[in-house]
Amino acid sequence: MASEFDLIARYFTRPAPAGMLGVGDDCALFPAPAGMHIATSTDLLIQGRHFFPDVDPAALGHKALAVNLSDLAAMGARPIGCVLGLALPQASESWLAGFAQGFHGLADRHGCPLMGGDTTRSPHDLAISVTVFGAVAPERALRRDAARAGDDIWVSGALGAADVAYRLLDGQLPADPQRLAATRRALEWPEPRVALGQALGGLARAAIDISDGLLQDLAHVLEASGVGAHLAYETLPVAPALRGLPAATVSRAVLGGGDVYELCFTAAPGDRERVRAAAAAAGVPVTPIGRVDPRPGIVVADADGRPLADLPRGFDHFLAS
Ligand code: ADP
Ligand code: MG
């Protein structure tokens, strides 16, 4: 096995952008943008919990950074850079080359260079920790506690594909190679909504990225804001790749499925056209799916306005009676 330092030099050392000190010193250095706050977030990915052991290493490198960029997006922050902690059971060079390619590919597209990290041999499974740094003007930050009764609730992109791909790979759904081919990219190569998040800064009120499922993540916003929500089920943007699946599979994937990395946000009804324009400028579709209610709890209503009874299990404690 190559030494830790060889591996760092080969796969994780990139020329630092002008004005930054990157890999190679005790700390990375980057200028704090004038008048802005630093936004920072960490996500930890553990083999067997967050990814399958045989996942494509390039997809894993991409996703390890994507889930963190998604947090910056949900705050309305512009990426500055990131650091990477790796615990490796063994150091296969082809694995590292793939991982680095996926990681740097996404980092380059979002101007979020790898500035440092830590690499150790793991006696057990693979673990990956990424920390991102970004910049946001505090008055434009999209906080979870900023939703107000009467706001529209919006979601970007489409819902459900990642959950279906996960359940196909995990054997929870009957094997269906065509369906897997149509949904797998959503699970393994999520596209963080960084441009949309920044376009919504100072325009939307509250925002969150959907990592654990629409209902659960929306509930975090509602609880932080002291409000509730009414969602119209038939307005939810269902991923086209789910067409033909049983209704219960679809509703579970759309309402409860995780790993989505779309943004769920609220905005004043008077700002509907500005939201649409911001989303169009960012090149991301957005859909209004309901409104913020003064009463706590989430109601999901069918086309006739009747509350859905069988919402995904595990979310019952967020629901109004
Ligand atoms: P220290 O002993 O000061 O923690 P290390 O020997 O762990 O330094 O790391 C040497 C340099 O390589 C540091 O600049 C560190 O940030 C960087 N580094 C280590 N592992 C990684 C990694 N996985 N990705 C990016 N940079 C890394
Ligand atoms: Mg170290």
Side-chain angles (χ1 to χ4, degrees):
M1 172 178 169
S3 83
E4 173 193 333
F5 301 103
D6 292 339
L7 296 178
I8 294 167
R10 208 164 306 156
Y11 298 109
F12 300 119
T13 306
R14 295 302 212 59
M20 263 188 203
L21 183 63
V23 171
D25 215 310
D26 299 312
C27 287
L29 294 176
F30 58 90
M36 309 283 261
H37 282 195
I38 300 292
T40 184
S41 177
T42 292
D43 265 304
L44 191 56
L45 278 78
I46 306 289
Q47 179 177 316
R49 168 123 189 89
H50 300 100
F51 55 89
F52 294 105
D54 59 349
V55 69
D56 171 10
L60 190 56
H62 170 97
K63 190 163 175 176
L65 179 56
V67 302
N68 280 276
L69 284 172
S70 182
D71 283 318
L72 289 182
M75 213 66 202
R78 168 175 62 80
I80 294 176
C82 60
V83 295
L84 167 66
L86 268 183
L88 297 168
Q90 75 268 317
S92 145
E93 298 249 352
S94 67
W95 189 93
L96 277 165
F99 180 88
Q101 188 205 345
F103 192 100
H104 294 308
L106 186 66
D108 290 348
R109 273 201 284 126
H110 288 286
C112 190
L114 182 60
M115 307 188 295
D118 202 23
T119 307
T120 68
R121 182 78 87 106
S122 166
H124 302 291
D125 286 345
L126 175 62
I128 303 161
S129 168
V130 176
T131 300
V132 283
F133 300 91
V136 64
E139 69 278 9
R140 294 172 67 90
L142 302 170
R143 298 167 49 129
R144 293 183 184 184
D145 61 3
R148 287 192 219 158
D151 280 0
D152 292 324
I153 300 171
W154 298 78
V155 70
S156 67
L159 303 169
D163 183 66
V164 167
Y166 173 79
R167 296 182 64 210
L168 285 167
L169 288 169
D170 200 42
Q172 297 177 37
L173 289 174
D176 185 341
Q178 245 178 317
R179 182 87 61 192
L180 180 59
T183 54
R184 192 168 189 163
R185 205 174 161 79
L187 177 67
E188 295 185 345
W189 296 87
E191 208 38 67
R193 301 306 195 185
V194 176
L196 177 63
Q198 287 172 85
L200 292 174
L203 167 57
R205 287 210 172 108
I208 193 166
D209 63 320
I210 304 174
S211 53
D212 297 333
L214 173 65
L215 292 188
Q216 178 153 328
D217 288 315
L218 175 60
H220 294 318
V221 168
L222 301 174
E223 281 167 11
S225 301
V227 290
H230 186 281
L231 302 182
Y233 183 73
E234 80 282 0
T235 65
L236 296 180
V238 180
L242 271 58
R243 211 163 280 142
L245 283 169
T249 306
V250 173
S251 69
R252 180 192 153 141
V254 164
L255 294 170
D259 268 335
V260 183
Y261 303 107
E262 295 294 347
L263 298 183
C264 178
F265 57 95
T266 83
D271 284 330
R272 231 165 261 179
E273 287 321 306
R274 289 177 67 208
V275 167
R276 289 193 196 282
V284 181
V286 291
T287 309
I289 60 169
R291 60 161 202 281
V292 178
D293 260 357
R295 267 173 312 150
I298 302 178
V299 174
V300 185
D302 66 14
D304 300 322
R306 280 189 297 257
L308 295 193
D310 50 351
L311 289 162
R313 285 196 169 282
F315 303 105
D316 307 57
H317 57 292
F318 298 122
L319 305 174
S321 47

